[in-house]
Amino acid sequence: MIGGRRDDRRDCEVREFVDAYRMAFEAFNAAAIADLFFYPCQITSDAGEITVMTVPTRDLWLPQIERLVETYRSIGVRSAEVVELQVVELTPPAGAGRHLVAPGR
C-alpha cells in the first residue's frame, strides 16, 4: 500500500487488540479475555516445548483462562507490559501476532 497506510492501520488494530487483552488480564476478567478469541482457534505454546492446541469453542477455553487468571492473581501479578510486538501478515485477511509480555507486580 502507498505510504504504508495499510501497515499503519493494521499495526494500530493489533496494538488496540493487545491493549484490550492486557486490560482484560489486569482486571482478571476471564470472560472478557475469552471474548477476544475467534473460535475455533489454535493456541501455540513454547513453554519448554512447542505445542499446538486446537480450541473448538469459547465454553471449552474459558475454564483454561479462569485457571490462568487465578494463578496470576495468586502470585500477585497486577499488570503487564508489552516489551516487544511483531506483526506478520500471513494472508490479507489473516495475520499472526507475536508479543512478549513482562508481568508486573
Side-chain angles (χ1 to χ4, degrees):
M1 183 93 353
I2 297 171
R5 284 178 282 181
R6 183 172 185 213
D7 289 341
D8 292 345
R9 188 184 80 225
R10 182 196 62 206
D11 290 352
C12 183
E13 290 171 350
V14 170
R15 284 188 194 98
E16 288 174 1
F17 169 81
V18 171
D19 196 43
Y21 193 75
R22 180 190 52 78
M23 289 188 306
F25 263 103
E26 287 180 355
F28 301 107
N29 188 338
I33 296 165
D35 289 343
L36 292 169
F37 289 83
F38 288 95
Y39 302 93
C41 67
Q42 289 188 318
I43 307 297
T44 304
S45 173
D46 64 356
E49 177 182 327
I50 296 175
T51 59
V52 178
M53 176 177 71
T54 299
V55 179
T57 67
R58 180 187 184 278
D59 290 340
L60 292 173
W61 188 226
L62 186 57
Q64 299 280 2
I65 296 172
E66 289 170 339
R67 282 192 289 279
L68 179 62
V69 165
E70 193 51 45
T71 298
Y72 284 168
R73 187 190 315 263
S74 73
I75 62 174
V77 174
R78 294 190 187 134
S79 66
E81 177 184 356
V82 176
V83 294
E84 181 180 338
L85 177 62
Q86 298 172 340
V87 179
V88 178
E89 186 174 63
L90 301 174
T91 64
R98 178 182 175 168
H99 60 279
L100 175 63
V101 176
R105 293 182 185 209

